Amino acid sequence: MKPIYAFEDANSKNKMLLGGKGAGLSEMTGLKLPVPPGFTITTEVCNKYYENKKRLPKNLMVEVNKHISKIEKKTGKKWNSSTNPLLVSVRSGAAISMPGMMDTILNLGLNDQTVEALTKKTNNPRFTWDSYRRFIQLFGKVVFGIKDEKFDEILDGVKNTQGVEEDSDLNVESLQKIVQNYKNICEEHTKREFPTEPNEQLNLAIEAVFKSWMGDRAIKYRRENNITKDIANGTAVNVVTMVFGNMGDSSATGVVFTRNGHNGKREIEGEYLTNAQGEDVVAGVRTGKKFEEMKKEMPKSYKEVINACAKLEKHFREPQDIEFTIEQGKFYLLQTRKLKMTATALVKTSVDMVKEKLIDKKQALRRMPAQQLEALLHRTIDESQIKNYKQLAKGVAASPGAASGIAVFDVKRAIEIGETGKKVILIRKETKPEDVPAFFSSQGILTSLGGKASHAAIVSRGQGKPCIVGCDELKIDYSNQTSTANGITVKDGDIISIDGSTGNVYIGEVPTVESQVTEDFKTILLWAQKAKRLGIRANADTPDSAKLAREFGAQGIGLCRTERMFSEKNRTELFVEMIMAESLEQRGQLLKKLQELQKSDFVEILRAMEGYKVTIRLLDPPLHEFLPNPEELMNKIYKENDNSEKTKRVLDRARELSEVNPMMGHRGVRIGITYPEIYEMQMKAVFEATADLIKKKINAKPQIMIPQVGSIEELDHIKSIYDNVKLEMEKKYKIKFKINFGTMLEVVRACLTSNELANTAEFFSFGTNDLTQGVFSFSREDVEGKFLPEYMDKEILETSPFQSIDENGVGNLMEIAISRGRKIKNNLEIGICGEHGGDPNSIKFCHNADVSYVSASPHRIPIAIVAAAQAAINKK
Ligand code: ADP
Ligand code: MG
Ligand code: MG
């Protein structure tokens, strides 16, 4: 492979090889746009450099020199010339733009001789010495690693002596003084003379760019933004002939966006500075002027920028972010790249560009980062107002959206205050199932412990409420009803705001912006619905979330968790009594009451999803989850001197039911087998609800799903209960019911024996959360809290398997289960529920694995629809 390509010779489609900047420069050169001549050293050379123990390939500089000669011919300038010297910039650029991550060196090629030559040629010593001091500072910083502050001290000192404030007002003597002092800094730092040979300067600069790829800033940026090697592998180096925006008042440098990156409107936005070099605008050394002002100040250049914007947008079919420089009235382009946009802007530009016939609907869908769409469905913090508020702390962003309210530390109090109509933010160390009623009365939840899989996080996401967890800098003091972080204490009753999309907690009521389900957004969803093949269902446990999911486009419910219904107010108690029942008869009576409650819930949910399938999962969690934990009870008995029989009985029962490893314990189908009366009650509730609706001519389509099944014997055992219930109900109502009976596949053994299960089951649904735990032998709560972050740091795992399906392990097992199951019933409905159902990568996997549908929480339905459409489009 060639190590170097001139802009006019490169294959500009190959971003991996040339980096985004190099590819853009070569693309623009090909379009005959005014790009200064230059060349790109490929990312392959960067990788060789690292393989080679950080040494440049031997003949690299020979090749570089050939390309420099080419530039000399094109420009008539000469390297190290005493009459017409060539200067270049040395710029990094990986396949993905990493703004500000790696520094650019400008004006390379200057030394005491060429600076004089340039002065003679331009008759503008202020310009040449200004360029020289910029070069030494950038070179010192990038190559020698000298801090900016050292240079700034000198700059400020000289500005003071001369009595000016702006860099551009420095006179020649001052600039010369600065150059001398800058050189001294470098020489003191390196204990050698400042390199004067352009060739040596270039050699060192190239090496420094390669080094910056593994610099702390760059590594951190890649990690935080999930930039893996298949996305960007090494940086390229671009060497570009210098053009000068600092050659006086007919020169300028600037940045423009072809559309508004914030709201997507079709208007050119930008900033420029006269008599300046690029770095100034980017670094904000001087405040730029609005691009519009250029219309008056430099009308010819203004037109050229506008034309270039139109040409580039039309060519790339994407809004662009463009850098330009004007040298004494002559216009140059120095960079173009895809504009970074908010989710709102992406939606608007997608719809607009289809209207403008710039792209088609498929492209419009393809360019949507599905993941970002969720932000549009929630209230968000008003970014423009944040600066007026104090930040209290930062935790883990667990459920998106923004909310304000009064801080309340007590669950009961949260319910009471919530009921008066006041807004509450519930602050707890952690939450438990018995706290769920308080979630309904709160605007948002903040916990100091726990990760993204904690109870607070999962319940909040299910309810679409903002939530921050693991905010460990917040010290919560229940006895005084306060919490303290960073020296600020918040008391019960104080107002705070939380941003569940970033994890930030603020003092006071930060204004928020309404969710943005715009017409454009609906248009995108409509296109996606038509393009996708996968079914999209919702994880919904309440009539409200069923309705919401349907509004967002869900076609059915893939997971309705019946235990959630027992967490609601007044019901927990009944359920606990049922668990505590001493005789079957007593339990039977309590179950009757619960059956009525479940039935009424099912009626409403089935009605909300009329015409679509609703998969109802029978009780899954172990019974002790509904009881207080024994330790807490002991405490209570001790502290409150509570010697009542009832408390003692609860304690005994809680101890009896407690388990060493509840995740693998007495739960799911295992409860159904040992307490058949519970499953029987739940099944009856489903049949009765259906009968009610049939009478009202409502097309209800429930199906019953059994969790945690590991063998056909378990499934058949429950099936016989189902058959009996069905018989009884058909007699009672004189109706032939069509209620499918199926199983979850979330136990490894179930997947491996799916050919057996398929004889009884009328559908399968992968519970990918439990399945992932089983396949890895990871207990999720422990793993995420303890070592998962370190696993990612050490690249043992690239992403969390709880976030995206682990294709090689879990995915492979799913494929086995699918093929074995479909051998028995070739049209078997096989879905997935579990959080992966809302993750774009997992959705792509499911599409390719021929899964029938994915099920996701209501607020992730639009993501799922768009991701499913993308999977379908990209496969063709
Ligand atoms: P970044 O990736 O941080 O944007 P760049 O390599 O684009 O860094 O360069 C930083 C600044 O220097 C930009 O404003 C750019 O326009 C300017 N610049 C880079 N090369 C040249 C050049 N050959 N002539 C004039 N200005 C340049
Ligand atoms: Mg740039
Ligand atoms: Mg499960």
Side-chain angles (χ1 to χ4, degrees), residues 534 536 805 832 836-848 854 856 860 863-869 871:
L534 260 178
I536 307 290
I805 287 177
I832 78 156
H836 299 95
D839 166 65
N841 285 325
S842 310
I843 290 170
K844 186 168 148 203
F845 168 81
C846 289
H847 174 94
N848 293 333
V854 298
R860 296 190 74 83
I863 298 181
I865 293 173
V866 170

Side-chain angles (χ1 to χ4, degrees), residues 7-8 12 24-33 35 311:
F7 296 155
E8 62 274 20
S12 54
L25 287 165
S26 118
E27 190 92 8
M28 290 194 290
T29 306
L31 287 172
K32 303 270 178 287
L33 284 164
V35 176
K311 193 162 179 182

Side-chain angles (χ1 to χ4, degrees), residues 131-251:
S131 304
Y132 199 11
R133 63 109 186 163
R134 288 171 192 271
F135 165 61
I136 297 174
Q137 172 164 5
L138 285 166
F139 195 88
K141 180 175 162 192
V142 176
V143 178
F144 301 140
I146 301 170
K147 291 220 164 66
D148 271 332
E149 288 92 77
K150 289 220 160 179
F151 297 107
D152 290 343
E153 250 169 55
I154 289 175
L155 187 67
D156 291 341
V158 175
K159 271 200 237 169
N160 250 340
T161 321
Q162 197 198 313
V164 294
E165 280 187 9
E166 296 282 337
D167 294 3
S168 49
D169 293 333
L170 287 164
N171 61 29
V172 177
E173 276 107 76
S174 293
L175 289 166
Q176 284 171 335
K177 212 188 297 166
I178 291 170
V179 165
Q180 193 48 53
N181 286 331
Y182 276 11
K183 272 201 210 157
N184 292 344
I185 292 181
C186 292
E187 290 176 356
E188 262 165 45
H189 186 93
T190 57
K191 311 271 180 267
R192 57 160 285 188
E193 229 175 284
F194 191 88
T196 52
E197 262 302 303
N199 266 338
E200 191 192 357
Q201 292 175 350
L202 188 53
N203 190 331
L204 289 168
I206 291 169
E207 215 181 320
V209 171
F210 286 155
K211 273 202 189 113
S212 73
W213 175 250
M214 292 306 277
D216 292 342
R217 270 197 308 171
I219 292 177
K220 186 156 174 261
Y221 184 87
R222 288 201 291 278
R223 187 185 312 142
E224 279 172 6
N225 293 279
N226 246 329
I227 300 173
T228 47
K229 282 194 176 143
D230 54 322
I231 300 176
N233 192 11
T235 178
V237 180
N238 300 291
V239 177
V240 189
T241 308
M242 278 307 300
V243 289
F244 300 102
N246 55 343
M247 259 194 188
D249 288 338
S250 61
S251 301

Side-chain angles (χ1 to χ4, degrees), residues 21 91 104 282 323 334-335 337:
K21 202 178 284 167
R91 317 166 67 188
T104 294
V282 185
E323 291 175 6
L334 288 166
Q335 189 173 341
R337 65 181 161 212

Side-chain angles (χ1 to χ4, degrees), residues 463-533:
Q463 293 188 5
K465 289 228 160 103
C467 175
I468 296 172
V469 296
C471 190
D472 49 18
E473 47 186 2
L474 195 66
K475 301 297 172 232
I476 298 177
D477 177 354
Y478 284 141
S479 51
N480 288 312
Q481 307 271 299
T482 60
S483 64
T484 306
N486 301 312
I488 311 170
T489 297
V490 170
K491 316 185 288 300
D492 171 279
D494 290 350
I495 294 189
I496 64 164
S497 301
I498 62 172
D499 182 351
S501 314
T502 59
N504 291 332
V505 185
Y506 302 93
I507 306 278
E509 186 168 353
V510 183
T512 52
V513 185
E514 196 59 68
S515 66
Q516 300 175 56
V517 185
T518 55
E519 283 310 308
D520 286 337
F521 187 51
K522 288 184 192 153
T523 305
I524 291 281
L525 287 180
L526 202 72
W527 293 345
Q529 287 278 17
K530 284 193 187 136
K532 76 179 175 56
R533 204 188 65 210

